[in-house]
Amino acid sequence: MSNLDREAVPTLCGGRGFVVAEPVRELLSPRHVKLGESTEVRRLLPNLGRRMVGAWAFVDHYGPDDIADEPGMQVPPHPHMGLQTVSWLHEGEVLHRDSTGSLQTIRPRELGLMTSGRAISHSEESPRPHARFLHGAQLWVALPDSHRHTDPHFEHHADLPRVTAPGLSATLILGELDGAASPGTTYTPIVGADLTLADGADLSVPLEPDFEYAVLCMSGETHVDGVPVLPGSMLYLGCGRTELPLRAESDASVMLLGGEPFDEELVMWWNFIGRSQDDITQAREDWMTGSRFGEVKGYDGDPLAAPELPPVPLKPRGRVR
Ligand code: MN
């Protein structure tokens, strides 16, 4: 998915200054963002209160939306730089096309992982015909400096490893949890897992004390370390935990996102992650002049134009709140 916010403002993120070293419980409220005419998403990262969780730099939760008589998701070709996109569905399907020639339908609990490296472009659309409901999350992972110029590529993993326990079924999206490991390529120590909890489940999942974590509620109600978290909200948990208590008050599902705190300071604007304003300015110019980002074949429509860059230079990084 693309950041379709026309008021695109550069965000400075990354660096240890934002990380909370101890266990905390910070409930993050979403910002409601319109994507096109009909779709509204709930943006959890970047958030006024928090920019990143490990290398996770962008989290949108959308749906469940009834798209029976609607086009559904229609995101025209747009570029990315310096990041990986994770497409994650609970209901519906998304057809992905990209400038490396990928053409892939992504279904619930399958991983669509696109590594932009230095430059890629892609489109995402609800296929025709499509399922009645669309429900999922779109996430970005920042690439470290050592890999941000890598070749672009796309991975699709339909059969991800699972961890089960009474009342719990966990699917590994990225990284490792309780001995299971996702086949998705990662460039920093990171984890992403989808946890399905049965009504009344009361359990703990093992964590890495050096990672920072957050839990995004997808559906139902889950008490995360005692804090009720409802769909479209995310609880930031800080670092220093070896386990996380979860109690489901209904059938519920959450995404566990974590990783080693991301040391490098980043500039994020529109669909790009760079290290300087010059990186961003150059990427915007390359997209608008049709260079570097390749071409998406087969999408019925024009590519997205980049928004205007704000005239003022980037402000120094502020505090988290
Ligand atoms: Mn995108």
Side-chain angles (χ1 to χ4, degrees):
M1 196 178 290
S2 170
N3 182 355
L4 294 179
D5 200 341
R6 301 311 292 178
E7 304 289 306
V9 171
T11 303
L12 293 147
C13 48
R16 291 266 165 177
F18 289 109
V19 177
V20 182
E22 305 83 30
V24 290
R25 299 180 297 182
E26 281 179 17
L27 193 59
L28 303 179
S29 298
R31 187 161 70 91
H32 296 266
V33 178
K34 278 267 190 198
L35 293 190
E37 294 303 307
S38 55
T39 311
E40 188 179 86
V41 304
R42 291 166 291 281
R43 182 153 303 157
L44 283 314
L45 287 183
N47 194 296
L48 198 59
R50 184 138 303 276
R51 309 279 167 79
M52 294 180 81
V53 177
W56 297 100
F58 183 94
V59 176
D60 271 355
H61 175 234
Y62 56 90
D65 290 325
D66 185 343
I67 58 166
D69 301 314
E70 295 181 32
M73 183 185 291
Q74 297 296 331
V75 183
H78 59 277
H80 284 292
M81 170 183 84
L83 54 88
Q84 294 174 291
T85 63
V86 172
S87 301
W88 190 252
L89 290 170
H90 277 192
E91 291 181 90
E93 59 278 304
V94 168
L95 179 61
H96 165 96
R97 305 173 195 266
D98 70 42
S99 54
T100 71
S102 309
L103 177 65
Q104 180 66 55
T105 301
I106 300 158
R107 297 187 170 80
R109 293 185 171 80
E110 298 179 354
L111 173 60
L113 177 63
M114 185 179 80
T115 302
S116 76
R118 63 183 170 273
I120 200 168
S121 55
H122 74 145
S123 63
E124 292 154 296
E125 60 199 288
S126 295
R128 274 162 272 183
H130 53 249
R132 179 171 179 184
F133 289 102
L134 182 63
H135 180 205
Q138 171 75 13
L139 309 97
W140 299 353
V141 178
L143 289 171
D145 195 47
S146 54
H147 287 94
R148 70 189 181 103
H149 301 292
T150 195
D151 290 341
H153 64 276
F154 178 78
E155 299 168 43
H156 177 240
H157 300 286
D159 193 15
L160 293 167
R162 289 184 179 221
V163 176
T164 56
L168 171 72
S169 173
T171 305
L172 266 294
I173 303 168
L174 287 179
E176 297 181 25
L177 182 73
D178 202 21
S182 164
T185 305
T186 58
Y187 298 91
T188 52
I190 192 170
V191 70
D194 185 278
L195 313 181
T196 300
L197 300 156
D199 188 3
D202 191 356
L203 50 93
S204 286
V205 294
L207 300 184
E208 298 288 336
D210 294 340
F211 280 16
E212 59 178 343
Y213 288 93
V215 170
L216 166 67
C217 180
M218 297 289 287
S219 59
E221 181 178 350
T222 303
H223 287 209
V224 181
D225 194 17
V227 178
V229 186
L230 292 167
S233 291
M234 191 162 86
L235 187 72
Y236 176 72
L237 295 158
C239 302
R241 295 170 183 269
T242 55
E243 59 172 23
L244 181 63
L246 298 170
R247 198 178 78 241
E249 298 292 312
S250 65
D251 287 337
S253 58
V254 299
M255 291 178 75
L256 174 70
L257 306 174
E260 204 167 85
F262 199 84
D263 275 335
E264 299 168 27
E265 295 192 1
L266 307 174
V267 181
M268 191 159 114
W269 179 80
W270 194 40
N271 295 307
F272 304 133
I273 293 181
R275 296 298 183 278
S276 66
Q277 181 147 14
D278 285 351
D279 282 353
I280 299 293
T281 304
Q282 188 64 52
R284 184 187 184 281
E285 186 180 323
D286 287 347
W287 172 245
M288 294 305 285
T289 57
S291 50
R292 180 157 48 140
F293 292 95
E295 190 188 342
V296 179
K297 294 208 163 65
Y299 183 83
D300 184 15
D302 291 332
L304 282 181
E308 292 296 326
L309 263 171
V312 290
L314 296 177
K315 287 181 289 192
R317 183 160 60 87
R319 292 177 61 84
V320 222
R321 281 186 188 281

PDB file of all heavy atoms in Angstrom, residues 251-274:
ATOM      1  N   ASP A 251     -12.938 -14.349  21.255  1.00  0.00           N
ATOM      2  CA  ASP A 251     -12.033 -14.800  20.207  1.00  0.00           C
ATOM      3  C   ASP A 251     -11.338 -13.545  19.697  1.00  0.00           C
ATOM      4  O   ASP A 251     -11.992 -12.534  19.443  1.00  0.00           O
ATOM      5  CB  ASP A 251     -12.804 -15.484  19.073  1.00  0.00           C
ATOM      6  CG  ASP A 251     -13.303 -16.872  19.489  1.00  0.00           C
ATOM      7  OD1 ASP A 251     -12.715 -17.459  20.417  1.00  0.00           O
ATOM      8  OD2 ASP A 251     -14.285 -17.349  18.887  1.00  0.00           O
ATOM      9  N   ALA A 252     -10.031 -13.596  19.571  1.00  0.00           N
ATOM     10  CA  ALA A 252      -9.294 -12.365  19.289  1.00  0.00           C
ATOM     11  C   ALA A 252      -8.062 -12.671  18.453  1.00  0.00           C
ATOM     12  O   ALA A 252      -7.603 -13.822  18.397  1.00  0.00           O
ATOM     13  CB  ALA A 252      -8.873 -11.693  20.605  1.00  0.00           C
ATOM     14  N   SER A 253      -7.545 -11.643  17.800  1.00  0.00           N
ATOM     15  CA  SER A 253      -6.260 -11.807  17.126  1.00  0.00           C
ATOM     16  C   SER A 253      -5.465 -10.513  17.241  1.00  0.00           C
ATOM     17  O   SER A 253      -6.015  -9.418  17.162  1.00  0.00           O
ATOM     18  CB  SER A 253      -6.440 -12.228  15.669  1.00  0.00           C
ATOM     19  OG  SER A 253      -7.205 -11.291  14.988  1.00  0.00           O
ATOM     20  N   VAL A 254      -4.175 -10.689  17.442  1.00  0.00           N
ATOM     21  CA  VAL A 254      -3.263  -9.557  17.590  1.00  0.00           C
ATOM     22  C   VAL A 254      -2.003  -9.838  16.767  1.00  0.00           C
ATOM     23  O   VAL A 254      -1.703 -10.983  16.442  1.00  0.00           O
ATOM     24  CB  VAL A 254      -2.856  -9.327  19.069  1.00  0.00           C
ATOM     25  CG1 VAL A 254      -4.073  -9.028  19.935  1.00  0.00           C
ATOM     26  CG2 VAL A 254      -2.065 -10.503  19.634  1.00  0.00           C
ATOM     27  N   MET A 255      -1.304  -8.766  16.429  1.00  0.00           N
ATOM     28  CA  MET A 255       0.012  -8.903  15.818  1.00  0.00           C
ATOM     29  C   MET A 255       1.058  -8.453  16.831  1.00  0.00           C
ATOM     30  O   MET A 255       0.964  -7.358  17.391  1.00  0.00           O
ATOM     31  CB  MET A 255       0.127  -8.061  14.549  1.00  0.00           C
ATOM     32  CG  MET A 255      -0.734  -8.608  13.416  1.00  0.00           C
ATOM     33  SD  MET A 255      -0.656  -7.607  11.911  1.00  0.00           S
ATOM     34  CE  MET A 255       0.968  -8.081  11.306  1.00  0.00           C
ATOM     35  N   LEU A 256       2.037  -9.329  17.050  1.00  0.00           N
ATOM     36  CA  LEU A 256       3.166  -8.999  17.918  1.00  0.00           C
ATOM     37  C   LEU A 256       4.295  -8.494  17.028  1.00  0.00           C
ATOM     38  O   LEU A 256       4.741  -9.204  16.113  1.00  0.00           O
ATOM     39  CB  LEU A 256       3.612 -10.250  18.682  1.00  0.00           C
ATOM     40  CG  LEU A 256       4.880 -10.098  19.536  1.00  0.00           C
ATOM     41  CD1 LEU A 256       4.620  -9.196  20.741  1.00  0.00           C
ATOM     42  CD2 LEU A 256       5.378 -11.475  19.993  1.00  0.00           C
ATOM     43  N   LEU A 257       4.724  -7.260  17.253  1.00  0.00           N
ATOM     44  CA  LEU A 257       5.794  -6.646  16.457  1.00  0.00           C
ATOM     45  C   LEU A 257       6.939  -6.291  17.382  1.00  0.00           C
ATOM     46  O   LEU A 257       6.719  -5.683  18.438  1.00  0.00           O
ATOM     47  CB  LEU A 257       5.289  -5.370  15.772  1.00  0.00           C
ATOM     48  CG  LEU A 257       4.027  -5.528  14.920  1.00  0.00           C
ATOM     49  CD1 LEU A 257       3.557  -4.153  14.432  1.00  0.00           C
ATOM     50  CD2 LEU A 257       4.294  -6.449  13.729  1.00  0.00           C
ATOM     51  N   GLY A 258       8.157  -6.652  17.011  1.00  0.00           N
ATOM     52  CA  GLY A 258       9.283  -6.337  17.870  1.00  0.00           C
ATOM     53  C   GLY A 258      10.583  -6.350  17.106  1.00  0.00           C
ATOM     54  O   GLY A 258      10.639  -6.732  15.932  1.00  0.00           O
ATOM     55  N   GLY A 259      11.624  -5.933  17.790  1.00  0.00           N
ATOM     56  CA  GLY A 259      12.938  -5.971  17.171  1.00  0.00           C
ATOM     57  C   GLY A 259      13.953  -5.229  18.006  1.00  0.00           C
ATOM     58  O   GLY A 259      13.601  -4.528  18.962  1.00  0.00           O
ATOM     59  N   GLU A 260      15.200  -5.429  17.625  1.00  0.00           N
ATOM     60  CA  GLU A 260      16.269  -4.679  18.268  1.00  0.00           C
ATOM     61  C   GLU A 260      16.057  -3.206  17.945  1.00  0.00           C
ATOM     62  O   GLU A 260      15.801  -2.864  16.786  1.00  0.00           O
ATOM     63  CB  GLU A 260      17.599  -5.171  17.695  1.00  0.00           C
ATOM     64  CG  GLU A 260      18.784  -4.954  18.576  1.00  0.00           C
ATOM     65  CD  GLU A 260      19.966  -5.750  18.045  1.00  0.00           C
ATOM     66  OE1 GLU A 260      20.666  -5.235  17.156  1.00  0.00           O
ATOM     67  OE2 GLU A 260      20.164  -6.887  18.517  1.00  0.00           O
ATOM     68  N   PRO A 261      16.151  -2.322  18.930  1.00  0.00           N
ATOM     69  CA  PRO A 261      15.960  -0.898  18.637  1.00  0.00           C
ATOM     70  C   PRO A 261      16.831  -0.462  17.460  1.00  0.00           C
ATOM     71  O   PRO A 261      17.993  -0.847  17.359  1.00  0.00           O
ATOM     72  CB  PRO A 261      16.366  -0.212  19.942  1.00  0.00           C
ATOM     73  CG  PRO A 261      16.066  -1.227  21.000  1.00  0.00           C
ATOM     74  CD  PRO A 261      16.383  -2.565  20.366  1.00  0.00           C
ATOM     75  N   PHE A 262      16.244   0.324  16.571  1.00  0.00           N
ATOM     76  CA  PHE A 262      16.905   0.721  15.319  1.00  0.00           C
ATOM     77  C   PHE A 262      17.788   1.930  15.592  1.00  0.00           C
ATOM     78  O   PHE A 262      17.304   3.028  15.833  1.00  0.00           O
ATOM     79  CB  PHE A 262      15.839   1.033  14.274  1.00  0.00           C
ATOM     80  CG  PHE A 262      16.341   1.001  12.864  1.00  0.00           C
ATOM     81  CD1 PHE A 262      16.416  -0.191  12.164  1.00  0.00           C
ATOM     82  CD2 PHE A 262      16.749   2.171  12.237  1.00  0.00           C
ATOM     83  CE1 PHE A 262      16.872  -0.222  10.854  1.00  0.00           C
ATOM     84  CE2 PHE A 262      17.211   2.150  10.928  1.00  0.00           C
ATOM     85  CZ  PHE A 262      17.271   0.954  10.237  1.00  0.00           C
ATOM     86  N   ASP A 263      19.115   1.711  15.529  1.00  0.00           N
ATOM     87  CA  ASP A 263      20.060   2.755  15.937  1.00  0.00           C
ATOM     88  C   ASP A 263      20.169   3.925  14.974  1.00  0.00           C
ATOM     89  O   ASP A 263      20.434   5.048  15.385  1.00  0.00           O
ATOM     90  CB  ASP A 263      21.466   2.139  16.077  1.00  0.00           C
ATOM     91  CG  ASP A 263      21.672   1.506  17.433  1.00  0.00           C
ATOM     92  OD1 ASP A 263      20.979   1.925  18.382  1.00  0.00           O
ATOM     93  OD2 ASP A 263      22.518   0.595  17.541  1.00  0.00           O
ATOM     94  N   GLU A 264      20.014   3.652  13.690  1.00  0.00           N
ATOM     95  CA  GLU A 264      20.280   4.701  12.698  1.00  0.00           C
ATOM     96  C   GLU A 264      19.132   5.695  12.659  1.00  0.00           C
ATOM     97  O   GLU A 264      17.968   5.311  12.728  1.00  0.00           O
ATOM     98  CB  GLU A 264      20.452   4.058  11.321  1.00  0.00           C
ATOM     99  CG  GLU A 264      21.612   3.089  11.259  1.00  0.00           C
ATOM    100  CD  GLU A 264      21.594   2.254   9.977  1.00  0.00           C
ATOM    101  OE1 GLU A 264      21.062   2.725   8.967  1.00  0.00           O
ATOM    102  OE2 GLU A 264      22.093   1.123  10.018  1.00  0.00           O
ATOM    103  N   GLU A 265      19.485   6.958  12.494  1.00  0.00           N
ATOM    104  CA  GLU A 265      18.441   7.979  12.363  1.00  0.00           C
ATOM    105  C   GLU A 265      18.016   8.073  10.906  1.00  0.00           C
ATOM    106  O   GLU A 265      18.842   8.024   9.997  1.00  0.00           O
ATOM    107  CB  GLU A 265      18.955   9.309  12.907  1.00  0.00           C
ATOM    108  CG  GLU A 265      19.208   9.200  14.401  1.00  0.00           C
ATOM    109  CD  GLU A 265      19.452  10.530  15.082  1.00  0.00           C
ATOM    110  OE1 GLU A 265      19.413  11.574  14.407  1.00  0.00           O
ATOM    111  OE2 GLU A 265      19.681  10.508  16.297  1.00  0.00           O
ATOM    112  N   LEU A 266      16.715   8.167  10.720  1.00  0.00           N
ATOM    113  CA  LEU A 266      16.123   8.062   9.385  1.00  0.00           C
ATOM    114  C   LEU A 266      15.319   9.305   9.060  1.00  0.00           C
ATOM    115  O   LEU A 266      14.810   9.979   9.946  1.00  0.00           O
ATOM    116  CB  LEU A 266      15.152   6.870   9.341  1.00  0.00           C
ATOM    117  CG  LEU A 266      15.703   5.524   9.794  1.00  0.00           C
ATOM    118  CD1 LEU A 266      14.575   4.495   9.835  1.00  0.00           C
ATOM    119  CD2 LEU A 266      16.803   5.063   8.852  1.00  0.00           C
ATOM    120  N   VAL A 267      15.181   9.543   7.752  1.00  0.00           N
ATOM    121  CA  VAL A 267      14.219  10.533   7.273  1.00  0.00           C
ATOM    122  C   VAL A 267      13.187   9.771   6.457  1.00  0.00           C
ATOM    123  O   VAL A 267      13.534   9.076   5.488  1.00  0.00           O
ATOM    124  CB  VAL A 267      14.891  11.601   6.386  1.00  0.00           C
ATOM    125  CG1 VAL A 267      13.849  12.618   5.928  1.00  0.00           C
ATOM    126  CG2 VAL A 267      16.010  12.299   7.123  1.00  0.00           C
ATOM    127  N   MET A 268      11.936   9.849   6.890  1.00  0.00           N
ATOM    128  CA  MET A 268      10.867   9.142   6.196  1.00  0.00           C
ATOM    129  C   MET A 268       9.928  10.179   5.593  1.00  0.00           C
ATOM    130  O   MET A 268       9.491  11.102   6.292  1.00  0.00           O
ATOM    131  CB  MET A 268      10.127   8.280   7.219  1.00  0.00           C
ATOM    132  CG  MET A 268       9.176   7.305   6.615  1.00  0.00           C
ATOM    133  SD  MET A 268       8.854   5.995   7.819  1.00  0.00           S
ATOM    134  CE  MET A 268       7.167   6.308   8.138  1.00  0.00           C
ATOM    135  N   TRP A 269       9.668  10.065   4.306  1.00  0.00           N
ATOM    136  CA  TRP A 269       8.731  10.983   3.645  1.00  0.00           C
ATOM    137  C   TRP A 269       8.011  10.221   2.535  1.00  0.00           C
ATOM    138  O   TRP A 269       8.664   9.522   1.751  1.00  0.00           O
ATOM    139  CB  TRP A 269       9.466  12.205   3.064  1.00  0.00           C
ATOM    140  CG  TRP A 269       8.526  13.144   2.369  1.00  0.00           C
ATOM    141  CD1 TRP A 269       7.709  14.064   2.942  1.00  0.00           C
ATOM    142  CD2 TRP A 269       8.288  13.220   0.955  1.00  0.00           C
ATOM    143  NE1 TRP A 269       6.969  14.711   1.970  1.00  0.00           N
ATOM    144  CE2 TRP A 269       7.306  14.212   0.751  1.00  0.00           C
ATOM    145  CE3 TRP A 269       8.801  12.525  -0.165  1.00  0.00           C
ATOM    146  CZ2 TRP A 269       6.819  14.547  -0.519  1.00  0.00           C
ATOM    147  CZ3 TRP A 269       8.316  12.856  -1.420  1.00  0.00           C
ATOM    148  CH2 TRP A 269       7.346  13.859  -1.586  1.00  0.00           C
ATOM    149  N   TRP A 270       6.694  10.391   2.498  1.00  0.00           N
ATOM    150  CA  TRP A 270       5.840   9.702   1.516  1.00  0.00           C
ATOM    151  C   TRP A 270       6.173   8.210   1.553  1.00  0.00           C
ATOM    152  O   TRP A 270       5.958   7.593   2.597  1.00  0.00           O
ATOM    153  CB  TRP A 270       6.000  10.336   0.125  1.00  0.00           C
ATOM    154  CG  TRP A 270       4.936   9.918  -0.844  1.00  0.00           C
ATOM    155  CD1 TRP A 270       3.619   9.759  -0.569  1.00  0.00           C
ATOM    156  CD2 TRP A 270       5.112   9.599  -2.234  1.00  0.00           C
ATOM    157  NE1 TRP A 270       2.968   9.375  -1.716  1.00  0.00           N
ATOM    158  CE2 TRP A 270       3.840   9.263  -2.741  1.00  0.00           C
ATOM    159  CE3 TRP A 270       6.222   9.558  -3.105  1.00  0.00           C
ATOM    160  CZ2 TRP A 270       3.630   8.901  -4.079  1.00  0.00           C
ATOM    161  CZ3 TRP A 270       6.019   9.211  -4.429  1.00  0.00           C
ATOM    162  CH2 TRP A 270       4.739   8.888  -4.914  1.00  0.00           C
ATOM    163  N   ASN A 271       6.679   7.637   0.472  1.00  0.00           N
ATOM    164  CA  ASN A 271       6.942   6.201   0.437  1.00  0.00           C
ATOM    165  C   ASN A 271       8.425   5.867   0.498  1.00  0.00           C
ATOM    166  O   ASN A 271       8.823   4.770   0.112  1.00  0.00           O
ATOM    167  CB  ASN A 271       6.323   5.607  -0.834  1.00  0.00           C
ATOM    168  CG  ASN A 271       4.807   5.731  -0.816  1.00  0.00           C
ATOM    169  OD1 ASN A 271       4.168   5.306   0.132  1.00  0.00           O
ATOM    170  ND2 ASN A 271       4.239   6.330  -1.843  1.00  0.00           N
ATOM    171  N   PHE A 272       9.200   6.825   0.993  1.00  0.00           N
ATOM    172  CA  PHE A 272      10.655   6.671   0.976  1.00  0.00           C
ATOM    173  C   PHE A 272      11.219   6.714   2.387  1.00  0.00           C
ATOM    174  O   PHE A 272      10.759   7.492   3.227  1.00  0.00           O
ATOM    175  CB  PHE A 272      11.300   7.823   0.194  1.00  0.00           C
ATOM    176  CG  PHE A 272      10.793   7.994  -1.218  1.00  0.00           C
ATOM    177  CD1 PHE A 272      10.443   9.265  -1.674  1.00  0.00           C
ATOM    178  CD2 PHE A 272      10.681   6.917  -2.083  1.00  0.00           C
ATOM    179  CE1 PHE A 272       9.986   9.450  -2.982  1.00  0.00           C
ATOM    180  CE2 PHE A 272      10.225   7.098  -3.390  1.00  0.00           C
ATOM    181  CZ  PHE A 272       9.876   8.370  -3.843  1.00  0.00           C
ATOM    182  N   ILE A 273      12.271   5.908   2.608  1.00  0.00           N
ATOM    183  CA  ILE A 273      13.082   6.066   3.811  1.00  0.00           C
ATOM    184  C   ILE A 273      14.511   6.313   3.360  1.00  0.00           C
ATOM    185  O   ILE A 273      15.083   5.515   2.603  1.00  0.00           O
ATOM    186  CB  ILE A 273      13.003   4.838   4.737  1.00  0.00           C
ATOM    187  CG1 ILE A 273      11.584   4.713   5.329  1.00  0.00           C
ATOM    188  CG2 ILE A 273      14.030   4.952   5.865  1.00  0.00           C
ATOM    189  CD1 ILE A 273      11.396   3.549   6.288  1.00  0.00           C
ATOM    190  N   GLY A 274      15.066   7.446   3.790  1.00  0.00           N
ATOM    191  CA  GLY A 274      16.439   7.790   3.449  1.00  0.00           C
ATOM    192  C   GLY A 274      17.193   8.185   4.696  1.00  0.00           C
ATOM    193  O   GLY A 274      16.743   7.934   5.828  1.00  0.00           O
TER     194      GLY A 274
END
